[in-house]
Amino acid sequence: MSQAHGGAAGPPKVSPINDPRVRSFVFQAVLVLVVVFLFVEAFLNARENLQRQKIASGLGFWDNIAGFGISQTFIAYSEATSTYGQAFWVGLINTLVVAAIGIVLATMLGFTMGVARLSKNVLVAGVARWYVEIVRNLPLLLQLLFWYNAVLKALPAVRDSVQLPFSTFLNQRGLFMPSPVPQAGFTAVWVSFLVGLAGSFAYSSWARKRQAATGQQAPVGLVTLGLVIGLPVLVFLAMGLPLQFDAPKAGRFNITGGMVVQPEFLALLFGLVIYTGAFITEVVRAGIMAVSRGQTEAAFALGLKPNLTTKLIIIPQALRVIIPPLTSQYLNLTKNSSLAVFVGYPDLANVFTGTVLNQTGQAIEVVGITMLVYLSISLGTSMLMNWYNRRKALVER
Amino acid sequence: MTATTDFGGSPIPRGDQPVRFVRADTVAASPPPSSEVGPIAWIRHHLFTGPLNIFLTVVIAALALWLLPGLIRFLFIDAVWSGKDREACIITEARPVVGACWAFVAERAGYFTYGSYPIPQRWRVDTFFVLLGLGVVWLLSMRLPRKDLAALYFFVGLPIISYVLLVGVPALGLPYVETTLWGGILVSIVCSAVGMVVSLPLGILLALGRRSSMPAARLFSVTFIEFVRGVPLITVLFMASVMLPLFVPSYLQPDKLLRALIGIALFASAYMAEVVRAGLQALPKGQYEGAMALGLPYGLMMRLVVLPQALKITIPNIVNTFIGLFKDTTLVVVVGIFDFLKAIEAARIDPRWAAPTVSTTGYVYAAIFYFICCYLMSRYARDVEARLAKADKR
């Protein structure tokens, strides 16, 4: 630039106060110093405060006996012998279970309602619209408390349980269902299911290649159905029905046998599914509306039938718009599952930042670990979804 | 058209004879068949197209007929409107069915609104509500002028006045009111208002930092934003509530409400930063380049050119973020703050009001409050969005 002005005396003289590089360096140095100062100060204060309050630090508590019970455990856990570490894993698995089931159900609800929202039937569209308006404008906590206290706690007591078909009972203590007890030979059913799954993948990829090469279509849907469902059912029948059910029996004060879904779990699941479902509804609606009408018309002009148009033209394009916000809804659901604290479902936040924090008092470690877990779930999911998104993204010139 | 289409007729016109059989005026359009217009056709097209729609219509109509009368009976007809304690709402021989217990809401309305704020001092809370409402209307209404003064009032003046009013300064004749006495809607509003007042400036700074060319600023902003957005609000509140006291010197222990407010403000800032960043990204690059070409330094470029435009297109998203924040403030219960929902929870298990429908009534009251607030805000966001879309269409 200086040469353009014809000045041969080197770079122009700028006062250091106005030099953007100097300014930027000074600003960043100040920022770094302030951040470092805050961290050091926090560390020193924490050390002093912990010493004064006689709180241990470090992860030594991890292997200590926890000594508290947890109402729902999917892995071995006992009040007397298990450690805080095991309590952590129990809580984490409970969080993942409610999040996984919640995500599946919320997706189903959201897609149904999203399609209903665009229905020509004014009643159907109206129901979907008011579902979204009401649910999105109420705090999730209020909805959870309503489900837990006003609906599930208002169910009849054990003595007068509501009896549903298939020896299922519903009462204040939860939903009692028959539990399947696999007998000898049931493993074969699982194996045949896996074989069927692998076979259907192989078949559909073969069919896709053949269609690309010759244009001939294959009945992929029927074959998949037969392999994934039909094969295990056949094996199940051939092995002589190796599955029995342990039905719950209603006693006077309690119900024995079977398995029970706790009201805390149900309330949390209901709340999360209905709340997140409303947000997914709007995501799906926006995604479908983003596919321009010309796409449908062009597909019809090519002679595609309506269901093929939906499958091959509309859904792939709508999904491209739907996936990113859908991911963030899944993450929201997972993070919101920490509201389990309020209904007493033993998820990670409840077990760890609740009970373990109270017992050990090691706030920094306990809250830190909990945050780290949620953070890794969030970052892991977004990385996975970014990868998927890149694969599905529109390839532009 | 009409003159030439009628070619099948005879006799064939010859010479200069006038064409008699050609109509000069247009035939009036015949009315559409009665099956295609009017209410019946509308019903057929919107409710009874195909077996699936007929089925859905019937199911929804049946459900509505089954649920709505019960709901109306519960909320209005069987409801109890006045009374002093549980006697008004319990089931007796004379009154076997009891609907919503509005007497409970009416009797505890003061508690729901102010918590345990001393009754003679409650005018201070009312004044705060009015001042806040004025600020919000001035800031959000499209018609009122001088948004710069409105911003100054909302982000600088109002926080100071509110602190003086609510906490109290004995020297000014306003007795000191412990924050442990605050509760109900007051606390919910204070939490959301503080979240808003802090998160907007802080969010703008973080968003600018994230898009800055300085690596240290970018790293700091990205780390903060991704960290806070990756964890649930509950853990942020726990952090503010149990970790923060460890990090500050022992003589500087923050008050319980203040700790929750810090947690909310940090949480909201991270979300606001992403919203503002979207606005900054949506602005065409030419705006930045134009400002630079005029020789504006960074600060002036942002203040005069970029931020006014970016924030304007971000208003709907800011309002939507605020709706989320307003709903999320209910979570402060977890660190022992007495907000509106906690006031309902405490009142509904009070033995003085132990009656079968009290809990449901309390939740319905909370639901109506939150619904009205959030619905109005989302309507406002949608109106602004429509206005901006119209402005873009020229």
Side-chain angles (χ1 to χ4, degrees), chain B residues 23-343:
Chain B
R23 275 181 76 113
D25 47 323
T26 321
V27 180
S30 38
S34 63
S35 63
E36 291 300 311
V37 285
I40 294 178
W42 187 89
I43 288 174
R44 266 201 16 209
H45 283 300
H46 286 96
L47 297 177
F48 298 104
T49 33
L52 177 68
N53 265 328
I54 295 176
F55 171 74
L56 287 174
T57 303
V58 170
V59 168
I60 292 174
L63 271 179
L65 283 182
W66 179 51
L67 288 175
L68 281 182
L71 198 66
I72 291 171
R73 284 182 66 89
F74 178 82
L75 289 180
F76 303 106
I77 298 172
D78 292 336
V80 180
W81 297 91
S82 59
K84 281 277 143 254
D85 55 13
R86 66 186 289 268
E87 295 297 326
C89 293
I90 52 173
I91 293 172
T92 56
E93 298 250 325
R95 195 183 46 213
V97 181
V98 177
C101 184
W102 296 119
F104 159 71
V105 173
E107 206 253 344
R108 305 316 304 268
Y111 181 69
F112 290 157
T113 313
Y114 309 100
S116 310
Y117 209 89
I119 293 176
Q121 304 295 327
R122 284 184 181 174
W123 63 271
R124 285 155 58 176
V125 179
D126 294 332
T127 319
F128 162 69
F129 285 154
V130 170
L131 290 176
L132 182 72
L134 285 179
V136 169
V137 169
W138 190 7
L139 206 58
L140 292 185
S141 168
M142 291 283 177
R143 292 202 201 94
L144 296 175
R146 293 308 298 268
K147 293 295 178 219
D148 50 344
L149 283 185
L152 196 68
Y153 168 68
F154 194 79
F155 291 101
V156 182
L158 190 61
I160 297 172
I161 300 172
S162 308
Y163 180 84
V164 170
L165 260 180
L166 293 176
V167 179
V169 177
L172 292 175
L174 296 170
Y176 187 69
V177 180
E178 291 267 350
T179 57
T180 44
L181 295 177
W182 301 17
I185 293 178
L186 165 65
V187 164
S188 294
I189 301 270
V190 164
C191 288
S192 343
V194 168
M196 189 65 198
V197 167
V198 176
S199 74
L200 199 57
L202 210 57
I204 292 175
L205 280 183
L206 283 167
L208 291 178
R210 190 164 186 171
R211 284 172 60 77
S212 142
S213 57
M214 294 182 272
R218 210 164 50 225
L219 182 72
F220 174 75
S221 304
V222 171
T223 316
F224 178 82
I225 293 171
E226 293 302 324
F227 176 76
V228 173
R229 280 164 47 95
V231 297
L233 175 57
I234 285 188
T235 57
V236 175
L237 286 173
F238 268 123
M239 188 175 95
S241 165
V242 296
M243 277 165 81
L244 192 67
L246 294 175
F247 289 147
V248 297
S250 44
Y251 55 85
L252 202 77
Q253 286 308 319
D255 158 57
K256 198 161 78 171
L257 180 64
L258 182 62
R259 278 182 264 160
L261 289 178
I262 293 174
I264 286 183
L266 292 182
F267 189 77
S269 302
Y271 281 81
M272 203 56 91
E274 286 300 89
V275 167
V276 174
R277 182 168 75 113
L280 291 174
Q281 272 173 349
L283 211 60
K285 222 169 172 243
Q287 295 293 330
Y288 293 85
E289 290 163 354
M292 281 186 227
L294 286 174
L296 293 181
Y298 182 82
L300 280 183
M301 170 177 85
M302 285 300 165
R303 200 155 64 79
L304 297 178
V305 179
V306 175
L307 282 179
Q309 301 185 68
L311 288 183
K312 193 183 88 180
I313 54 175
T314 321
I315 290 176
N317 285 336
I318 292 179
V319 175
N320 283 333
T321 312
F322 184 65
I323 296 176
L325 173 68
F326 185 59
K327 290 187 294 175
D328 279 345
T329 54
T330 49
L331 301 191
V332 292
V333 186
V334 84
V335 288
I337 307 295
F338 211 84
D339 81 326
F340 178 41
L341 213 49
K342 178 69 187 172

Side-chain angles (χ1 to χ4, degrees), chain A residues 330-381:
Chain A
Y330 287 171
L331 284 180
N332 281 347
L333 188 145
T334 312
K335 284 186 282 174
N336 281 337
S337 72
S338 60
L339 266 68
V341 176
F342 296 99
V343 290
Y345 174 72
D347 83 322
L348 179 66
N350 193 0
V351 169
F352 227 58
T353 49
T355 320
V356 174
L357 176 59
N358 274 343
Q359 291 195 358
T360 62
Q362 290 186 243
I364 298 177
E365 292 85 349
V366 168
V367 177
I369 291 172
T370 315
M371 285 182 137
L372 215 58
V373 169
Y374 283 107
L375 199 61
S376 2
I377 296 177
S378 294
L379 293 183
T381 315

Side-chain angles (χ1 to χ4, degrees), chain A residues 161-171 174-180 244-251 254-261:
Chain A
S161 307
V162 184
Q163 187 152 16
L164 303 168
F166 305 112
S167 338
T168 305
F169 300 92
L170 187 64
N171 59 40
L175 183 67
F176 292 78
M177 293 187 299
S179 58
Q244 286 180 351
F245 284 96
D246 176 22
K249 283 165 208 64
N254 212 341
I255 291 182
T256 50
M259 58 182 186
V260 56
V261 184

Side-chain angles (χ1 to χ4, degrees), chain A residues 27-321:
Chain A
F27 180 80
Q28 295 187 66
V30 169
L31 181 69
V32 169
L33 281 179
V34 168
V35 171
V36 168
F37 170 77
L38 283 179
F39 268 92
V40 170
E41 184 72 4
F43 176 76
L44 293 178
N45 280 327
R47 203 172 57 178
E48 192 205 312
N49 284 329
L50 288 176
Q51 267 169 5
R52 199 162 38 79
Q53 299 175 17
K54 300 203 169 52
I55 299 175
S57 58
L59 293 176
F61 71 95
W62 193 260
D63 292 322
N64 293 352
I65 300 294
F68 61 90
I70 299 180
S71 58
Q72 178 187 308
T73 55
F74 287 100
I75 55 174
Y77 179 88
S78 79
E79 190 174 337
T81 57
S82 293
T83 62
Y84 286 122
Q86 279 164 307
F88 166 81
W89 289 111
V90 169
L92 179 57
I93 290 173
N94 282 343
T95 290
L96 293 178
V97 164
V98 77
I101 300 177
I103 282 174
V104 172
L105 294 180
T107 310
M108 281 158 52
L109 180 67
F111 273 74
T112 315
M113 283 297 181
V115 173
R117 186 96 162 71
L118 296 168
S119 164
K120 255 195 189 158
N121 187 328
V122 280
L123 279 183
V124 174
V127 166
R129 173 160 174 240
W130 280 101
Y131 158 67
V132 171
E133 285 290 2
I134 292 175
V135 169
R136 286 212 311 180
N137 284 327
L138 295 180
L140 174 57
L141 179 58
L142 177 61
Q143 299 182 34
L144 279 182
L145 291 175
F146 175 77
W147 287 116
Y148 187 60
N149 290 325
V151 177
L152 292 172
K153 284 286 151 192
L155 286 172
V158 177
R159 229 177 329 166
D160 8 66
S161 307
V162 184
Q163 187 152 16
L164 303 168
F166 305 112
S167 338
T168 305
F169 300 92
L170 187 64
N171 59 40
Q172 277 184 345
R173 294 206 203 144
L175 183 67
F176 292 78
M177 293 187 299
S179 58
V181 185
Q183 308 292 309
F186 193 75
T187 330
V189 179
W190 279 117
V191 172
S192 66
F193 172 75
L194 291 178
V195 168
L197 210 59
S200 68
F201 268 117
Y203 181 76
S204 71
S205 90
W206 170 80
R208 209 168 29 244
K209 274 192 199 123
R210 195 181 66 146
Q211 189 179 355
T214 66
Q216 281 176 305
Q217 290 186 346
V220 177
L222 278 179
V223 173
T224 306
L225 203 68
L227 280 174
V228 176
I229 307 225
L231 190 65
V233 169
L234 276 181
V235 173
F236 183 64
L237 294 175
M239 298 295 288
L241 311 178
L243 187 68
Q244 286 180 351
F245 284 96
D246 176 22
K249 283 165 208 64
R252 207 168 132 62
F253 296 109
N254 212 341
I255 291 182
T256 50
M259 58 182 186
V260 56
V261 184
Q262 289 171 349
E264 291 77 25
F265 176 80
L266 281 181
L268 183 64
L269 191 66
F270 273 16
L272 288 176
V273 166
I274 290 175
Y275 188 73
T276 316
F279 286 86
I280 295 181
T281 302
E282 285 299 281
V283 167
V284 170
R285 184 180 75 110
I288 295 176
M289 281 175 53
V291 181
S292 78
R293 183 131 181 83
Q295 296 288 327
T296 318
E297 286 163 359
F300 285 162
L302 285 174
L304 289 179
K305 292 183 187 111
N307 58 349
L308 272 185
T309 306
T310 313
K311 195 179 129 194
L312 298 176
I313 309 290
I314 298 179
I315 290 181
Q317 296 191 67
L319 273 187
R320 187 176 290 143
V321 182

